[in-house]
Structures are given as structure tokens and as C-alpha cells.
Amino acid sequence: MNAQPLDHAIEDKVQALLSQMTLEEKVGQMTQIDVSVVTVPNGQDVDQPFDMSKLEDALFNHHVGSILNAPSTPNNRAQPIEKWRSMTQTIRSMAEKSRLKIPVIYGVDAIHGATYTDQSVLFPQAINMAATFNRDLSFKEGEIAAREVKASGIDWNFSPVMDIGRQPLWPRLWETYGEDVHLASSLGSAFIQGHQGDDASAADKAPTCLKHYVGYSFPINGKDRTPAWIGERMLREYFLPSFEAGIKAGAPTIMVNSAEVDGIPGHANYQYLTTILRGELGFTGFTVSDWEDIIRLYTRDKLAASPREAVKIAVMAGVDMSMVPFNFSFYDLLLDLARSGEVPVSRIDEAVTRILRVKYQTGLFQRTEPDIAVAGHFATKEAVAINRQAAQESIVLAKNDQHLLPLSKKASILVTGPTANLLSVMNGGWTLTWQGDNEQLYPKDKLTLFKAIQQKTSGKVTYVGGNSYQEEINIEQAVNEARKHDVVVLALGENTYTETSGNIETLNLPFPQLQLAKAIFATGKPVVLVTFGGRPRIITEIAEQANAVVLGFLPGMEGGVAMADILFGDVNPSAKLPISYPRNTNDIVLYDHKPIESYETNQYKPLYPFGHGLSYTQFETTGLRLSHEQIKLGEGIEVSVEVKNTGKITGKEAVLVYLNDVAASVTRPSKQLKAYAKVELKAGETQTLSFELPAEAMSFIGVDMKRRIEPGEFKVMVGNQTVSFTVN
Ligand code: GLC
């Protein structure tokens, strides 16, 4: 299946160039290094960070095809956009002097905007974008991320994460679009379409990178980079489809899973990387390893007997480019393997063909300077407004007893808790630095939750807390202040992290937060519980005592003002959970569970279910109708439903369409999301929504591991309505 048809004009150019290349130049194209290899120590502190002799050596002697990350030692640090433009121009100009003038493709993890460019527009993280159930916002995020990456002079974005988030302990859950395949596939595809447009070589567009292929997000013990045990049916039902969707959406690069599935490291898995990715999914771009993961086949996985064998295993499995990243070992070893014939030159030609193809597709050969100006394309007011809307639509109102919310702007408010007065806790990892935890680097003009509340109200607002997440909060002082105020906004949750740094041993909240909450509740004051963080930490006891619960997760740089917009009713919340929010740390059952998981004492009883989210108004869905009572195998079906705003104020509502295959030769989930749409309705307004469920929606992976549809009864569920139809 060729999901990505080739452009013959580009193919001709690729082959013409390939035929001129030496073996060294080919192997160089497959080599990606971290920018620190070619910069002076502490390059983050100087205007011109390159060590020019090292840069020349990399480009002229090792013919490096790609460079990644931001200058700094040891980890990335955000740089001014002018410095980025100058840096990438230096590389571009030097590549122009190489024998064949093959451009270097420069990549960064702009996973919620241009991560390492100062003042960039940094969106809610993917888990929040999923909570918006708003494709249009995901498309716009892609447009803005691409524009700001390109305005920085950078070429390539290691995003979106298409991993499915089904393990709440995993420290990268927040980088995913949540637990549902359809939601992740549709929002990830919208991001790619916005980011690449119809022509990825356009000045304000850039290539994306699906990651981390495949099965990285489901470590059985919840810790990052530990084994996943995923059978073929689960792989094909839950973990491949979002990558298939991303490939169909035109993503030209794929980053490989850093961990292992069924005992085979992602970088050694020929079946995943070649048989399935190329043979079944028709991917024609190139794969890039994750960080140092070829070397780790030897140093960590003990799969390869030597670094040389590790290179051979990975390249022959289907890895086209190595994120080495700190030296030229891959270059040297692969050259040696090619000269000895252990890696056929045909395999190297195949990898280089794919890399050159993407470089031509994305216009790199035509690019002689940063493609777009900063003015009008970077940190524009319009982009910031879209970011604020995304944050507003990504924050989940989970509980609102006695309609405590929205708060009066005259109320006196105590704001306390470890996430109340920090920007980092609302942005998470990949924000200005790798771990996102350098609060001093955050823009001074963006507001924390406390400052946003203070700015919005005329009432007395007091903050009790520290200047960092770790700082102990004076509980006695918080209690005394609580007694003097009308209401308490208690902001709890997680610090920032990503990857193995974010591994934890329990989903429970840290004990000091529980103590603070207990003391605040004892005052008898009404409490709004606000949480920020990348994972659903267990808040059950606290949520039961709070009058209102607002789940912020990681709403990005506008998160503070967006949360305040919601707390005071300037915005009516509309987000819905893209994950099941667990009631207890070991009660991890997901919404699309199997019948056996909700049989007798087994029950799906999260604190808040997938799709849960309240509004300040009310909505009702009625009149669920299907285009047919019966359809033939292979036919689709149309669903229509009325949605009405039965409350008193305008609101937005995501209408979710679920399907259940009542009986099949493989057990089927109790329900699966198959379509959704978000509408804005005035008080009293009704809209009729129509959804097309294609035949594929009724399909599943059969006993023979092939996708199939079986005759029988199906149920369509929207809100509290269910209508059946039969496939004959
Ligand atoms: C990291 C991450 C990956 C990222 C890459 C480059 O290890 O796993 O998501 O794109 O390295 O920063």
C-alpha cells in the first residue's frame, strides 16, 4: 500500500544526486549530531556559539546530514530568535561550500511551539489539546508551531507524539493525545496538516516527525524506557493506527521507540520498522533513531555484542538516520560495515534516498536563508490569542457543587499550593529547557495562576506559598489566611519533567500536599481544587471534599490567564477528559475496556471517566437517528443527533459518538469513540449534527490478525441515547 505517493520530479533529482555521492557522503547523510558537538562549551552564553573548525569537520569531513537541539552544555536552553537565525544561516552557508551542497536538516522538539526560541508561543501540551476535542485548534497549533520554527531558521519538528497514552504512570503521558485511538489519530493528523500544509516546502511550513514508533507509551511498570509487552492484536488495535493516520496525513519522518516491545528493542525491530512500516503502512519518508539508541543496543540492551554490531542491527532493521548524538562513531562504524560488505551499499542507498527525498520535499535545497521574517510570523497577537483559546478549551471543569464557580470578582481569595505561582508547572517538559524546570527563564510578562487571579479581580487576593515547587508551604499561615478570606483556590499537582526524570513510584500526590489540603478543609471555607501536571495524580479524597475541581494538566504559557478566565466565568469551560482519571492508584481501567472488566465486581469506576467535563451551562442530546437499520458488510452508516443548550449562557460542547460491536469472534470494547464534533450554542439554541461512520469504524483485528468486519448487531451511543443497527 503506498500511503505516500512519490513525486517523480523529486525522485529523479534524488537519484541524480545519489549517483554522484561517495560512500562517505552517503553515510554522512545518515548521521545526526547534537549541536554541542560543533559549538564551544556554554554556547548558550555567546552570540556565535560555533567552533568553526568543528563545524567544518562535521560538514566537510563527516558530511553530517542533520543537527539537533539548542546550544548549551549539558542540556538545551532557549535562545533569542536572532541567534537561531544566525546559527542556522551559518550552517546553511557552510553546507553551500560542501562538494555537493547537500543541506543539513536542523531539528528540534517543538512539541508545543518553538520550544527553544525565547518568547515563542507555547501551547497547551498534547494531553490538553486532546481535551479540547477541537481539530481546528490542533490544526492552528500546527500552523503556528511551523511558522515559529521556520522563523527561527529551523527546518524540522520532532512532533507530534502519536503514542497512545494508556499508562497513567508513564512520565510522557502528557505528550500524548490520551488513551483513545480515534481522538489521537484525528488531532495528530490535524496538527500535521496545519504544520505541513499542502506543500511542506512552503516558507511557513515544516516537516513533522511521528514518534515514537511503536509501542513506547505502554511500559508495563509505568516507568519510561522499560519493557512493553504488546501482543500483535493490541499493537494493531491500539498502537499502529495513529501512526497509520499520521503517515496518511503526510508526515515524512518517524522517530523510533527508545524502549523495547516483547523483548525486541525498537531500533532492532525489522518487523515493525520494515515489514509493517514500509510493507503495510506504505511509509516513504525516513526513520530517525531516538537519542543514542543505536549505541544503547550494545551498552544497555545487551542485544549487540559491540557498538559495530549495534549499527549493523539497527541499519538492517530499518533505521535510516542515527541520532548518535555526541560523536561520529556511527559514521565510522557504518563506513567500515559498508566497506566490508556486511551492510550492503543498496541498504545505504535506500536510506539516503529517503533522506534526500524529504530534503527535496521540504524545500531545503532551495533555501538560502531563513525563509520567513520574524515580523508578522513570530509571537503575533493573533497566535497568542489562539493559544489562550486553546488553553481555555483544554481545562476540564470536573466538579462544581453548589455552583461555587464562577467566582465573584469581588470575593476575597486565598491562593495557595505548590502549583499556584509558577509558570513551569503549567508548561511541563520541553519548555525553554529539556525538563522545563528553569522558572527564571520563563517570560516575565506571562501570568501564573495567582497573578492572573490577582489581575482579574477587585477583591483581596492573598498568596501563601513559595517561589518553587519544592518549597515547603507554611500550613499554619495558609490556614490563618484562609479564615480571613471568602474562598480558597488550592493549586496542587506535579512539578515539570519529561522522560526518565519523571519516573514515579506512585500516582498518589506528595504527602505535604495532602496535609495542606486537610488543614484547609478543616477551616470550613469553600475550596476550589485546581491541579496542574502531566499525569492524573490521585486526588480522590481531596476532590470529594472540595466544592469545585478544575483539572488544568499542562495548559501552556497562557494557562494562568485561561484558568482565571474560567474561574471567574469570563470563559465557559468546554474541555473533556481524553483519559480516564483513576480513583485509586492501582485501579487503572480505561474507558474502552472489555466486557470482562465490567462484569460482576469488576467495574470501570474512575474518579472521572473519559469524556467527562462540565460546563457553566447544560447541554442535552436528543433524536439520535441512523441512516439505516441494516447495512451490508463494507458499507458505512450516517448518524445524526440534536444537541441543545438548555442552560442560560452560551457554551461549547463536544458531542462524542461511541460504537459497540455487540458480539464478535474477538472480544470487543464496551464502547469506542468513533466520531466527535464541537459546537458553540447560545442559550436555548439547538443544532443537528451529522456524522459519517465509514465501514472501517465497524472493523477490528480478527483472530487471524487481519482487520475485518463481522455481521451482527452494533450499538451507537451519544450522551444517554443508544440506537442499534445490524451489519448483514
Ligand atoms: C529524546 C526523546 C525524543 C526527542 C529526542 C530529541 O530522548 O525521547 O522524544 O525527540 O530525544 O530531543
Side-chain angles (χ1 to χ4, degrees):
M1 174 182 80
N2 191 356
Q4 299 183 329
L6 299 179
D7 173 328
H8 294 300
I10 285 183
E11 294 309 298
D12 292 346
K13 287 179 188 166
V14 167
Q15 292 311 315
L17 180 52
L18 188 72
S19 64
Q20 300 170 56
M21 293 171 74
T22 64
L23 181 61
E24 290 78 4
E25 287 163 335
K26 292 175 182 176
V27 169
Q29 280 303 304
M30 298 169 69
T31 304
Q32 179 187 63
I33 57 170
D34 185 84
V35 70
S36 60
V37 171
V38 291
T39 52
V40 299
N42 296 316
Q44 74 276 12
D45 295 331
V46 295
D47 289 345
Q48 201 302 88
F50 289 117
D51 175 326
M52 295 310 277
S53 62
K54 287 184 178 176
L55 187 60
E56 284 172 10
D57 174 54
L59 267 59
F60 298 152
N61 302 333
H62 293 91
H63 317 289
V64 155
S66 179
I67 297 176
L68 83 147
N69 274 346
S72 82
T73 315
N75 289 321
N76 306 295
R77 200 189 83 188
Q79 306 288 302
I81 191 162
E82 292 70 22
K83 180 171 172 183
W84 267 116
R85 292 169 69 88
S86 151
M87 276 175 55
T88 50
Q89 186 55 35
T90 301
I91 295 170
R92 209 170 282 119
S93 308
M94 189 172 285
E96 270 296 299
K97 297 190 189 103
S98 67
R99 190 176 78 86
L100 292 171
K101 305 181 188 314
I102 300 174
V104 170
I105 184 166
Y106 202 113
V108 293
D109 296 274
I111 69 165
H112 65 131
T115 313
Y116 298 133
T117 306
D118 287 336
Q119 308 303 323
S120 63
V121 175
L122 292 181
F123 271 78
Q125 294 283 7
I127 198 78
N128 284 68
M129 293 309 287
T132 70
F133 281 81
N134 188 328
R135 286 181 192 82
D136 182 48
L137 280 176
S138 191
F139 181 92
K140 286 176 177 164
E141 180 195 10
E143 283 186 316
I144 293 164
R147 210 161 49 222
E148 300 209 351
V149 159
K150 291 296 284 301
S152 304
I154 296 167
D155 307 306
W156 179 26
N157 186 358
F158 307 134
S159 192
V161 167
M162 293 302 258
D163 302 313
I164 301 295
R166 298 174 73 84
Q167 169 47 283
L169 278 163
W170 187 49
R172 304 188 75 174
L173 177 79
W174 51 273
E175 295 184 50
T176 75
Y177 290 108
E179 68 194 44
D180 181 69
V181 172
H182 178 78
L183 183 61
S185 302
S186 62
L187 290 177
S189 299
F191 177 87
I192 292 163
Q193 285 145 10
H195 202 282
Q196 296 185 178
D198 298 332
D199 172 8
S201 70
D204 60 348
K205 299 298 178 188
T208 57
C209 179
L210 308 177
K211 65 187 192 181
H212 308 73
Y213 179 83
V214 65
Y216 173 46
S217 57
F218 203 53
I220 200 162
N221 69 17
K223 289 189 169 60
D224 184 42
R225 289 177 163 87
T226 60
W229 294 93
I230 300 174
E232 186 176 352
R233 180 166 296 105
M234 176 175 265
L235 180 80
R236 291 182 177 281
E237 281 280 12
Y238 292 101
F239 295 97
L240 279 178
S242 52
F243 285 93
E244 185 171 2
I247 289 166
K248 281 184 183 150
T253 72
I254 285 181
M255 189 178 291
V256 181
N257 169 5
S258 266
E260 63 174 66
V261 177
D262 293 354
I264 302 179
H267 291 75
N269 198 321
Y270 182 87
Q271 194 218 356
Y272 288 2
L273 288 170
T274 299
T275 309
I276 294 178
L277 185 59
R278 307 294 176 172
E280 287 184 37
L281 304 186
F283 180 58
T284 57
F286 70 84
T287 61
V288 59
S289 83
D290 201 342
W291 190 267
E292 207 172 270
D293 281 319
I294 293 178
I295 294 172
R296 286 177 184 167
L297 291 177
Y298 166 64
T299 56
R300 180 192 65 185
D301 305 324
K302 313 301 179 195
L303 190 92
S306 68
R308 186 175 187 278
E309 190 188 0
V311 169
K312 180 178 172 185
I313 289 171
V315 171
M316 296 311 289
V319 180
D320 297 318
M321 181 184 280
S322 170
M323 185 188 296
V324 188
F326 286 129
N327 55 48
F328 299 106
S329 58
F330 174 84
Y331 173 85
D332 298 332
L333 291 169
L334 184 54
L335 261 185
D336 185 50
L337 286 160
R339 287 174 180 145
S340 71
E342 290 169 76
V343 172
V345 175
S346 59
R347 169 64 190 115
I348 290 173
D349 286 352
E350 181 184 60
V352 177
T353 293
R354 293 163 174 167
I355 293 166
L356 295 179
R357 176 181 295 144
V358 173
K359 290 186 173 181
Y360 274 112
Q361 284 169 345
T362 52
L364 283 183
F365 284 88
Q366 286 77 37
R367 196 159 299 146
T368 55
E369 70 242 342
D371 254 5
I372 49 176
V374 175
H377 297 99
F378 184 80
T380 63
K381 283 201 308 298
E382 297 74 19
V384 172
I386 290 167
N387 189 19
R388 183 165 180 168
Q389 179 195 341
Q392 291 162 347
E393 292 200 26
S394 79
I395 291 170
V396 178
L397 175 60
K399 178 183 180 184
N400 190 19
D401 280 4
Q402 293 97 37
H403 299 291
L404 174 64
L405 295 177
L407 297 175
S408 156
K409 292 183 179 178
K410 296 189 177 59
S412 64
I413 302 170
L414 167 68
V415 182
T416 187
T419 63
N421 198 22
L422 296 168
L423 289 170
S424 52
V425 299
M426 296 189 290
N427 282 275
W430 310 103
T431 309
L432 311 173
T433 61
W434 176 46
Q435 291 294 315
D437 56 355
N438 189 333
E439 189 74 24
Q440 306 320 315
L441 293 179
Y442 279 75
K444 305 304 176 223
D445 62 330
K446 299 301 178 184
L447 300 182
T448 64
L449 172 61
F450 161 60
K451 290 180 180 139
I453 290 174
Q454 211 175 25
Q455 185 186 72
K456 203 175 261 288
T457 62
S458 57
K460 179 170 179 285
V461 181
T462 305
Y463 170 61
V464 173
N467 296 314
S468 73
Y469 177 84
Q470 297 81 357
E471 217 169 308
E472 195 177 331
I473 291 176
N474 182 326
I475 292 180
E476 190 182 345
Q477 183 191 357
V479 166
N480 291 339
E481 286 299 341
R483 292 202 175 100
K484 300 174 197 163
H485 291 76
D486 299 328
V487 64
V488 179
V489 172
L490 176 61
L492 306 179
E494 294 191 308
N495 200 359
T496 70
Y497 55 81
T498 186
E499 303 194 56
T500 49
S501 311
N503 284 341
I504 51 176
E505 277 69 45
T506 172
L507 273 175
N508 287 327
L509 277 173
F511 185 62
Q513 295 189 35
L514 303 175
Q515 279 186 305
L516 173 63
K518 189 174 175 200
I520 293 295
F521 288 129
T523 66
K525 289 287 181 176
V527 175
V528 179
L529 171 64
V530 168
T531 63
F532 291 117
R535 278 172 292 219
R537 303 304 287 263
I538 303 304
I539 56 171
T540 306
E541 242 183 85
I542 300 175
E544 281 165 357
Q545 297 178 67
N547 302 76
V549 177
V550 192
L551 308 172
F553 289 101
L554 295 170
M557 217 47 105
E558 304 302 325
V561 290
M563 181 62 83
D565 289 337
I566 286 170
L567 294 181
F568 291 99
D570 290 344
V571 163
N572 188 356
S574 62
K576 291 182 182 297
L577 278 173
I579 56 168
S580 302
Y581 201 106
R583 184 177 299 276
N584 292 301
T585 190
N586 288 82
D587 183 9
I588 309 301
V589 180
L590 304 182
Y591 94 91
D592 54 356
H593 58 276
K594 295 298 186 82
I596 194 172
E597 296 178 274
S598 55
Y599 182 74
E600 291 181 348
T601 54
N602 291 336
Q603 287 304 319
Y604 173 63
K605 54 181 187 334
L607 181 60
Y608 305 117
F610 176 92
H612 174 73
L614 303 178
S615 167
Y616 291 144
T617 185
Q618 292 75 43
F619 295 95
E620 182 188 67
T621 52
T622 55
L624 177 59
R625 276 185 304 282
L626 306 180
S627 55
H628 301 79
E629 282 184 11
Q630 300 190 18
I631 59 173
K632 295 191 187 67
L633 266 178
E635 289 182 338
I637 194 165
E638 275 200 25
V639 179
S640 72
V641 68
E642 268 92 55
V643 54
K644 181 175 183 178
N645 179 343
T646 56
K648 298 184 175 53
I649 60 169
T650 298
K652 293 177 182 174
E653 174 72 347
V655 175
L656 279 50
V657 180
Y658 295 99
L659 184 75
N660 166 241
D661 182 347
V662 173
S665 55
V666 168
T667 60
R668 307 301 309 126
S670 303
K671 67 182 193 180
Q672 284 183 300
L673 181 72
K674 293 295 179 183
Y676 63 90
K678 190 166 194 177
V679 292
E680 182 168 33
L681 297 173
K682 294 184 179 53
E685 185 184 357
T686 298
Q687 249 191 52
T688 300
L689 301 178
S690 296
F691 303 89
E692 176 68 43
L693 295 190
E696 169 101 2
M698 277 64 90
S699 72
F700 64 95
I701 303 299
V703 173
D704 61 356
M705 296 299 173
K706 298 273 183 289
R707 187 164 286 281
R708 57 184 293 124
I709 301 168
E710 288 177 355
E713 185 190 359
F714 286 78
K715 290 180 179 171
V716 175
M717 296 159 274
V718 180
N720 55 14
Q721 303 173 84
T722 299
V723 176
S724 296
F725 68 96
T726 308
V727 172
N728 293 323

